[in-house]
Amino acid sequence: MSISILSTLSFPWVPARFGKAPYFWLFSFAIFSWKYLYVAPNSQELIALALSLLFFLPVYFYSFWCTGWRIYACIVTVCAMGIIWAPYNFGGSTFCIFAATMSARLPDTRKAYLTLLAVGMAIMISSILMKLETFFWVPAIIFSIPSGIGAIMGERLSRSNENLIAKQQEVEYLAALSERERIARDLHDLLGHTLSVITLKAELAGKLLDRNPEACKKEIHDIEHTARQALAEVRAAVTGYRATGLGHELQSAKNTLDAAQVALLCDVEQFTMPQNLENVLALAVREAITNIIRHAQASQCHIRLHRQGSHIVLKISDNGIAGKTGVVHKGSGLNGMSERVLALGGNLQVSTKPGITGLHLELSLPMKEET
């Protein structure tokens, strides 16, 4: 029980986004002391004032946290306290001002302004019916309405800033998620291809160890070079600046297929292209060659690259075993390739037909005409 009381009494008593301002606003109750500069208070009035403030403070701080009908209850209670005090001390207008500013707690702007208007009407009607002095209702009206409007506008601005910050955080999260997906795709393409090459060369080196030590030494040297190159590419992929180039990738594909004893037929038209398109094409070649080595059991691969109107078309086919089933199973590599192509407004088709050997990949990317 004591722990709950301590937690209730612990700071902050208002949400952190309001800062320290709500505590300083309480100094406005100094207006109550204005009357006592020329009229000595009696003990009953001082006790009533002390009890009023002690009752007001919990209601005031609670109004920052409550929702729904409880906000209206706080507003009505505080406004009523001001009107009750009006015949005895015009400082009761301070309660009315606080009631007006509490209307800003309402989430609906229209309801907030209607509540503020209701507070103003309550002050005017009470002043007329109770024939209250101008020292009460003039400051109550003059300060309540502008203070309420300012509080409502400030609250809306604060909520707009919070929404903006939340959206910025969401954008940052989505950007980080997109970057992780990019790194995952690139690492899959890089490591999948490179490890396949290293595996093939290691198997070849093992076969050549006894009968041709010099050739074995060459293969081991190639394994070391491939591993170092892969390490550099992985570092570049993580930082986002990898761009191997299509020419380099085609040469790497030839070396890899030669090691796997797969004949490569290249029909590549020479023309310039944007760097981003070249990178996607290079990654497509890398992924296709990796799949051929791992799964196709092919003896021949054909790569053709040419311009067709305003598009760049890349076709890769092999004579492997994929055509026997007629079903193309897309793994993370083909899915990643498809995402990259779609991001550039291109099209990717992977097809095979039962009874016809091999897998056929056709990639088309739009390229603006040179002016």
Side-chain angles (χ1 to χ4, degrees):
M1 181 66 179
S2 58
I3 295 176
S4 61
I5 294 175
L6 289 174
S7 62
T8 303
L9 295 177
S10 60
F11 283 95
W13 292 341
V14 297
R17 63 189 182 89
F18 287 98
K20 304 298 183 182
Y23 301 107
F24 290 102
W25 295 338
L26 295 173
F27 286 107
S28 61
F29 277 107
I31 195 173
F32 263 95
S33 63
W34 187 262
K35 171 187 173 182
Y36 306 126
L37 294 178
Y38 55 88
V39 177
N42 56 49
S43 58
Q44 293 179 344
E45 189 171 356
L46 289 177
I47 293 173
L49 178 58
L51 291 176
S52 297
L53 293 177
L54 288 175
F55 179 77
F56 165 78
L57 290 175
V59 176
Y60 171 66
F61 290 122
Y62 179 67
S63 70
F64 287 96
W65 302 95
C66 64
T67 57
W69 64 268
R70 296 175 180 83
I71 300 177
Y72 294 104
C74 292
I75 295 172
V76 171
T77 301
V78 174
C79 186
M81 290 177 66
I83 294 172
I84 292 172
W85 263 102
Y88 310 101
N89 191 326
F90 60 83
S93 60
T94 308
F95 287 112
C96 297
I97 296 172
F98 274 105
T101 57
M102 286 180 185
S103 60
R105 318 276 200 272
L106 295 168
D108 186 274
T109 303
R110 180 173 175 273
K111 291 181 179 179
Y113 280 113
L114 288 175
T115 304
L116 175 61
L117 178 61
V119 170
M121 294 296 294
I123 295 171
M124 293 178 62
I125 294 173
S126 300
S127 299
I128 295 171
L129 295 178
M130 299 173 63
K131 299 179 180 180
L132 300 176
E133 296 183 10
T134 55
F135 289 108
F136 167 76
W137 65 265
V138 169
I141 295 295
I142 290 178
F143 293 109
S144 291
I145 302 302
S147 298
I149 293 174
I152 294 172
M153 295 177 65
E155 182 69 14
R156 297 309 174 268
L157 179 61
S158 177
R159 291 177 183 175
S160 297
N161 290 336
E162 290 176 354
N163 292 334
L164 180 60
I165 292 173
K167 289 180 180 179
Q168 289 176 340
Q169 292 175 343
E170 183 180 0
V171 169
E172 291 174 359
Y173 169 77
L174 292 176
L177 183 62
S178 176
E179 182 66 5
R180 285 197 295 268
E181 291 176 350
R182 180 195 68 79
I183 292 174
R185 289 195 301 266
D186 287 358
L187 288 180
H188 173 274
D189 295 341
L190 287 168
L191 295 181
H193 176 270
T194 303
L195 292 176
S196 298
V197 172
I198 290 175
T199 300
L200 286 171
K201 288 187 172 292
E203 291 175 352
L204 182 58
K207 295 176 181 178
L208 296 173
L209 180 61
D210 295 327
R211 61 186 184 188
N212 194 341
E214 289 299 322
C216 176
K217 187 183 297 184
K218 178 180 179 301
E219 294 299 328
I220 293 175
H221 179 269
D222 288 345
I223 291 173
E224 179 185 359
H225 174 74
T226 302
R228 292 182 182 276
Q229 182 181 2
L231 179 60
E233 289 179 339
V234 167
R235 288 172 177 170
V238 171
T239 56
Y241 295 104
R242 180 173 60 83
T244 57
L246 183 58
H248 169 84
E249 204 58 57
L250 289 172
Q251 183 59 45
S252 177
K254 184 179 186 306
N255 296 336
T256 302
L257 293 173
D258 286 345
Q261 298 181 346
V262 178
L264 174 63
L265 301 176
C266 262
D267 181 10
V268 178
E269 182 181 333
Q270 299 297 323
F271 55 88
T272 59
M273 68 182 74
Q275 185 66 47
N276 59 338
L277 301 186
E278 184 177 359
N279 289 342
V280 170
L281 292 173
L283 288 171
V285 170
R286 178 184 288 263
E287 177 61 27
I289 299 303
T290 300
N291 287 336
I292 290 172
I293 294 173
R294 285 182 175 178
H295 311 298
Q297 300 180 23
S299 61
Q300 189 177 86
C301 173
H302 185 199
I303 298 177
R304 185 185 179 205
L305 177 70
H306 65 283
R307 289 192 63 171
Q308 184 174 324
S310 61
H311 286 70
I312 301 175
V313 179
L314 172 68
K315 296 181 179 179
I316 303 176
S317 59
D318 64 77
N319 63 347
I321 63 174
K324 293 182 179 180
T325 62
V327 179
V328 178
H329 298 285
K330 289 188 177 182
S332 58
L334 286 176
N335 287 331
M337 187 192 308
S338 179
E339 290 174 4
R340 283 188 288 266
V341 171
L342 290 175
L344 294 177
N347 181 49
L348 175 66
Q349 294 181 351
V350 182
S351 60
T352 183
K353 296 181 180 179
I356 301 177
T357 59
L359 190 70
H360 304 275
L361 179 149
E362 181 173 341
L363 188 158
S364 176
L365 290 173
M367 184 174 72
K368 294 181 179 180
E369 294 289 345
E370 297 181 359
T371 57

